[in-house]
Amino acid sequence: MAFVHAGSLRFHVQRLPATAGAAAPDRPVVVFLHGLVVDNLSSFYCPLAVPVARSGHEVVLYDLRGHGRTDRPGSGYDSRSAVRDLFALLGALDLGRRPVHLVGNSYGGTLALHAALARPDLVTGLTLLEPPLGGAWVENMVDTLSAAALSLEDSTVPTELLTLRLRKAANLTAIADALLNRTTLIDDIAASRVFTAADFARLRCPVLVVCGEHSELLSGGRELADRAPHGVLRILPDLGHDVLKESSGVLRETVLAHLDATADATAGTAGGAAGGSAGGAAGGSATAAAAWPRVGALVP
């Protein structure tokens, strides 16, 4: 376990070296972004992060602002602050000029997409697992989080869980209470900007979207894959919003194949960012995209 100061916050970070031989220095670093409230970096560790590192990719996982073991300020839970956090952290890790491939689950996928739009010079690939993209999700999530906040306010549940020696559940419940009732997280989610078709069309890096067959987010995933110049949608049968937890084998193979396909195209061109050239990174992203399937490809 490591703590890294970036900006005004201390982040809980796990960094895994590439273990299948030495990774090329210009190969994108794979950065994992988890979901909201009860999620943290541990969600990725065994099902995806370790296999990705073993396949030859350097990996960074971290707890988002307010989550897990990262500092929990009272404000700053909007997407713009999250993107600033991400790139400040990469800078603190001396990775600020390396190309990155972002893997985001649920709300982490939304943040990854914001990051790719903000820094196309550095983000050379996206893997989005069940990303919420539309306005309906925002409204539903705000309602869900508000109801959860009311149920947790002045609740004795964390204490009762500790009495039962359920320490992990007690800790997650306490974090949820703190995030929902003592920060601006709900208000910041409510003010989220909805993605447009024009946003998707601006993406120049390869994008893999993975959704469950029964997920309410599937329609947004379809639109993203259709509009992004190099978007691919993978639909996992018999699943809803739980693809990370319930499809470890298939998901692992899908993600590794996407990483290998995009990393090989990016290496040697996007690596211009390592030398301080934003233009070189942007060129690498375009090269990787050119090698990737055409718009709207659908993998059953």
Side-chain angles (χ1 to χ4, degrees):
M1 179 172 61
F3 291 98
V4 176
H5 288 271
S8 60
L9 301 181
R10 188 182 74 154
F11 289 87
H12 174 217
V13 179
Q14 293 287 346
R15 191 170 177 178
L16 306 179
T19 56
D26 54 359
R27 207 173 203 201
V29 178
V30 180
V31 182
F32 288 87
L33 303 171
H34 64 74
L36 278 173
V37 184
V38 295
D39 210 357
N40 55 56
L41 66 81
S42 67
S43 300
F44 287 116
Y45 195 85
C46 290
L48 285 180
V50 171
V52 166
R54 287 176 177 169
S55 73
H57 300 267
E58 186 175 358
V59 167
V60 173
L61 310 96
Y62 71 102
D63 289 337
L64 297 174
R65 171 187 295 243
H67 293 72
R69 297 176 182 271
T70 289
D71 286 347
R72 190 174 304 113
S75 62
Y77 295 88
D78 57 288
S79 59
R80 183 172 297 181
S81 296
V83 170
R84 280 200 301 265
D85 287 347
L86 167 62
F87 289 108
L89 178 60
L90 291 177
L93 293 171
D94 200 26
L95 296 172
R97 294 182 176 180
R98 286 275 299 277
V100 295
H101 187 117
L102 302 178
V103 180
N105 180 53
S106 191
Y107 187 63
T110 301
L111 299 181
L113 185 53
H114 278 297
L117 291 169
R119 295 297 307 271
D121 56 314
L122 292 181
V123 180
T124 57
L126 290 174
T127 300
L128 310 178
L129 314 179
E130 283 286 311
L133 305 171
W137 177 87
V138 173
E139 296 175 7
N140 292 339
M141 181 54 64
V142 168
D143 289 344
T144 299
L145 295 179
S146 298
L150 286 173
S151 69
L152 288 170
E153 193 170 16
D154 300 321
S155 172
T156 60
V157 170
T159 302
E160 293 170 359
L161 289 171
L162 281 175
T163 301
L164 295 172
R165 297 184 179 180
L166 299 174
R167 185 176 299 276
K168 181 177 180 179
N171 185 50
L172 289 175
T173 304
I175 290 173
D177 179 31
L179 274 169
L180 297 176
N181 286 310
R182 286 181 282 284
T183 77
T184 61
L185 183 140
I186 295 178
D187 290 338
D188 290 344
I189 296 297
S192 296
R193 184 178 73 82
V194 177
F195 292 109
T196 66
D199 290 327
F200 301 152
R202 285 198 294 121
L203 292 166
R204 290 295 174 263
C205 64
V207 182
L208 170 66
V209 185
V210 183
C211 288
E213 177 186 13
H214 305 300
S215 171
E216 63 181 8
L217 304 177
L218 179 56
S219 61
R222 286 186 186 278
E223 183 182 6
L224 171 55
D226 182 59
R227 299 286 184 176
H230 302 279
V232 176
L233 174 64
R234 176 72 187 266
I235 300 173
L236 300 185
D238 302 321
L239 294 177
H241 190 57
D242 51 356
V243 298
L244 182 59
K245 293 181 180 179
E246 300 298 330
S247 62
S248 57
V250 173
L251 183 62
R252 180 174 62 251
E253 294 171 4
T254 301
V255 171
L256 289 176
H258 179 57
L259 287 172
D260 286 344
T262 56
D264 290 343
T266 303
T269 50
S277 169
S285 181
T287 301
W292 199 238
R294 65 187 298 276
V295 59
L298 175 63
V299 182

